[in-house]
Amino acid sequence: MGGVQWSGRTAKLRVLQVTEGGFKAGAEEFWGGWRHEVIDCTARTIAHAGFGSIRAGGREGPVTGDLRSASPLPAGSTDEAVAKVVCDGWKPFAKVPVASSVEAAVAIGRPLIETGAEP
């Protein structure tokens, strides 16, 4: 949350998207990647602004993709959940510790992917 850049009620941020354990693209294993987003908290829209992969071990790839036009947040989507966290202070997994690194976030996130439940 410390990396969110605000302009009025519009937030520019990146969201860590964690993959399930053992996820590979080609011969390389990936932890996930950074989704770059622009969220208008008043209009409840999101504009995707690129993606940068993170390989196992933490090596980050370049951000690819251009800023897209803003679109409404789809109900029940990951995008809507991100907006609730950023715009509204929602804490969906109150018992989950705050990660201090990408590696720690992956270790915390992967069991949540598998179970969908808070530890």
Side-chain angles (χ1 to χ4, degrees):
M1 292 298 290
V4 177
Q5 298 172 356
W6 288 96
S7 177
R9 292 287 298 146
T10 299
K12 184 177 179 183
L13 64 141
R14 61 185 192 162
V15 177
L16 179 62
Q17 182 175 327
V18 175
T19 62
E20 67 275 3
F23 178 86
K24 288 186 176 184
E28 292 193 71
E29 186 173 341
F30 286 80
W31 284 349
W34 290 110
R35 291 179 26 216
H36 293 254
E37 311 290 3
V38 179
I39 299 173
D40 184 322
C41 294
T42 302
R44 303 309 269 195
T45 60
I46 188 166
H48 301 288
F51 182 84
S53 64
I54 304 172
R55 288 166 176 75
R59 187 171 51 124
E60 296 187 21
V63 176
T64 59
D66 296 324
L67 178 63
R68 297 182 193 166
S69 298
S71 59
L73 293 161
S77 68
T78 302
D79 292 340
E80 182 186 47
V82 169
K84 286 181 180 180
V85 169
V86 173
C87 301
D88 308 330
W90 180 53
K91 295 181 180 175
F93 294 107
K95 295 178 186 175
V96 174
V98 174
S100 59
S101 68
V102 171
E103 185 173 13
V106 170
I108 293 166
R110 284 187 168 169
L112 295 174
I113 293 169
E114 293 170 10
T115 66
E118 190 169 350

